[in-house]
Amino acid sequence: MATGVPRWVPALDRPALVALLLGIAGVGYRLVLTVHTVPAGNSDEATFGLVALHVAQGRAHPVFLYGQRYMGVLESYLAAPLVAVAGPSWTVLRLPLLALYALFVWLMYRLTRRVFSPWFAVLVVGLLALGTERVVRDQMTAVGGRPEVKVAVAAMLLVAVGLAERTVRHRRLAVGLFGLLAGVATWSDWLIVPYLAVAGLVLGYALRRELVGWAAVLLLAGFTVGVFPMLWDNLTAGPGQDSLSVFRRVDATGGPPGPLAGRIVGGLTEGVPLASGFCPAEGCARWQEWFGLLYPVLLVLAAGLALVALRRRVIHPVRPVVTLALVAGAALTLFGYVRSPLAASDPLSSARYLSVLQLSLPAVLWPLWVAAVSCWRGTAGVAGRLAGATATAVLAALTVTALVATGQFATGTGGIRAEERQARRVAEVLRAAGPRHVYGDYWTCHRLTFTTAEEVLCGVLDDGLYPGQNRYPAYWRAVGRAERPGYVLRAGSPAERRLTELLAAGGVPATVTDVGDYRVYHPATAVRPWR
């Protein structure tokens, strides 16, 4: 009997083996960060965690995030079984996202290898394995949509390529799966709509005449199933409470757009490098901004190479079509981003809206790879060799820049971990000695409630100690019924100064406990200035 590797273990060639090792390194890096709660948790993520807790307990099955009507909570549903077994924690909440990251890297390797080349796919996996705080935060924190929608689009493009090249056995099931993924992504996060649109065009190119019959029915059926939670919620929503109306109101609160030049510069020199992992979260140094300026040039070059490949038909035409789709998806995403005033006023925070550009990384870097490979093989003339040497230098510079930025983040997590330990200490103090019903600011409340597994409930106040953004009104009502609610405020904050003024004016004594940068006030009688 022959011995050796079992038949079910696929044979890996050299590029696949290197990509596997790089992917494992990327997963391991993020697993270590996850165990240490890096990046630190916050109230936005805690709200997803509270949804997961309520789903695990059978108390609620929301379609959208509490306090919103347009952000899907698939991440909460993925975490709910783990929360039911292990209880709520940041690590438990993020483990499904780690699995989504691993799946995304694998799909991107498969897609890049199939559309472009094997060793180029290794480069893409290597860059995806790295990660600054901005990149890791978008990948590994449950703040809505981005991890799962990238997986969906990568899988949809692979399905479309397989259908076009007729390597898919069950074509009808594949078309239904394409529609299902598109529907789930639409429910989860609307940022992915540009990529869903271009992926749909690739599917249309792959199927052509088939879309007239059964394929159209299965595509629509799959999409309907995937988007059904959102459809049902919108059909039963009150006037003005449908997702589109709410989203329009949110979009209208952004203020005037500001000068176009400022938005373009902010989007390219800060947003793109931040989202691509070439800058620390504090912002890009001058020497790190160059990739953002080069980005639109590379998009144009990638589109040009794809059009040439379509004309010459040296490869299956669906491959350059996928390249064009990735270019168009990136261009549309950038266009939507620079329309926002945040591109100029707050690119450090708003760069998260560009995290989906990771899908287009292969198309963006492909012109550089083609030029570099031509130079290495000696198939180019003098001008080609010069361009190839320049492209090689650019790829090396990109890799070094990403490595440096990742190293800066990985070796500088002490402050993040200290801040997380302080938040846990506040939770421990309140668990041990009370009060169990408190008021605080937005960035304190849901984080505190999630960390304590709802043993401490918190109502949100603004700086003037008036009701703030209470995403889950039940907590506000519970704290409102408490006989002697406490306050958890940052020392020296406007809210704390306002509270001390009220306590002094009313002659109300209060016990005060200092916990790091926080102060826990427990007045002898209730203090509620808004009543």
Side-chain angles (χ1 to χ4, degrees), residues 195-367:
Y195 280 96
L196 295 180
V198 296
L201 293 177
V202 175
L203 180 69
Y205 177 86
L207 294 180
R208 299 203 254 311
R209 295 186 183 88
E210 292 180 65
L211 271 179
V212 176
W214 56 263
V217 175
L218 291 173
L219 182 67
L220 180 60
F223 180 82
T224 302
V225 171
V227 82
F228 182 78
M230 186 181 81
L231 286 177
W232 178 257
D233 187 89
N234 279 267
L235 288 173
T236 57
Q241 294 301 307
D242 61 281
S243 299
L244 188 58
S245 298
V246 173
F247 190 78
R248 284 174 176 170
R249 288 198 297 271
V250 172
D251 189 51
T253 61
L260 177 61
R263 286 180 277 132
I264 292 176
V265 170
L268 291 180
T269 63
E270 289 280 355
V272 171
L274 277 167
S276 303
F278 299 121
C279 299
E282 297 78 24
C284 299
R286 289 294 182 187
W287 66 273
Q288 295 170 316
E289 294 178 348
W290 61 273
F291 178 68
L293 299 175
L294 185 61
Y295 198 88
V297 177
L298 293 176
L299 287 179
V300 172
L301 292 175
L305 287 176
L307 291 173
V308 169
L310 269 177
R311 183 178 179 183
R312 293 180 178 176
R313 292 186 175 272
V314 293
I315 56 176
H316 195 289
V318 76
R319 299 182 185 184
V321 168
V322 170
T323 303
L324 289 172
L326 293 176
V327 169
L332 290 170
T333 299
L334 275 173
F335 175 75
Y337 179 66
V338 299
R339 287 181 62 249
S340 168
L342 294 175
S345 63
D346 190 16
L348 298 187
S349 176
S350 63
R352 66 186 185 274
Y353 300 126
L354 295 177
S355 66
V356 294
L357 291 182
Q358 284 188 331
L359 286 161
S360 295
L361 185 63
V364 171
L365 299 185
W366 182 238

Side-chain angles (χ1 to χ4, degrees), residues 401-418:
T401 302
L403 279 168
V404 169
T406 298
Q408 290 174 337
F409 169 53
T411 58
T413 61
I416 297 173
R417 296 173 66 181

Side-chain angles (χ1 to χ4, degrees), residues 458-479:
C458 186
V460 179
L461 299 175
D462 61 17
D463 288 344
L465 300 190
Y466 287 90
Q469 186 182 9
N470 286 278
R471 289 186 177 275
Y472 192 61
Y475 296 151
W476 173 263
R477 291 192 294 268
V479 178

